[in-house]
Amino acid sequence: MADLLVLEAIRKAYNVGTPVEIEVLHGIDLTMRSGEFVALMGPSGSGKSTLLNIIGLLDRPTSGRLSIAGEDTTHLSEASLTSLRGHTIGFVFQYHYLISAFTAHENVMMPMLVDKGRPDSAMEKRADELLDSVELGRWRDNRAMNMSGGQQQRVAIARALVMNPSLVLADEPTGNLDTVSADGVFELMRRFNKERGTTFLIVTHNHDLADRCDRIIEVVDGRITRDSPNPASKAPAARPQTSATG
Ligand code: ADP
Ligand code: MG
């Protein structure tokens, strides 16, 4: 099975308004295969969000190489990056970033509207199917502002998946949720991973949740200090990599 994501010697420095650049990623090497469900852990300020933003093509590395789905992104134009991002990557953040005055259905429609310009019946249907699959079909016409934190995050997951991305990047997606809601949101991501083979990279501080991932990567001070299969994974990967042809 092909590598979905390859990072080679990724460095990132921020220029903080002084002549001094501060490097926060010091050479990250990372490969992820299609269908993996991976936890990204590490202390606050260690560079996890910076790394996710680079992988998600929201920010460019200072140096190093990033390939997604076989495409080297290093020299792509902004327009090409935007297109690749829109069709390949879904985002879930700690804060949901839904449009609060819009309904659940309208929020899920949004990435398709951005892509295609205007709604059609296929989009409407796809948004409805996703809302059903996150068990919010009955909440379709409720405004985001009137939903609970857990429900809002499930709408955000439906929105992240609506373009059928290969890779979903989730930055502390359960950080604002109570334990039960966090559990539900995490299980939902796991289910999409198993049923559709969607690859997930999830930043979490929660060891119980990380224990349900197939692989745990830890970043400390801008370096990967651990990258190991998770022997405790309570949910093995859906598609075992048994053949070279798969
Ligand atoms: P984490 O997500 O692991 O908490 P971040 O990637 O957000 O870590 O931040 C890593 C380091 O980079 C921190 O020291 C942070 O202050 C710094 N940093 C993050 N974003 C910026 C920015 N836009 N400009 C300058 N420094 C930044
Ligand atoms: Mg962060």
Side-chain angles (χ1 to χ4, degrees), residues 14 16 24 43-50:
Y14 288 115
V16 287
V24 299
S44 204
S46 57
K48 303 180 299 297
S49 294
T50 300

Side-chain angles (χ1 to χ4, degrees), residues 223-246:
R223 289 188 175 83
I224 291 178
T225 52
R226 169 187 175 186
D227 182 356
S228 51
N230 178 21
S233 176
K234 291 170 182 102
R239 297 188 297 175
Q241 290 151 14
T242 49
S243 83
T245 54

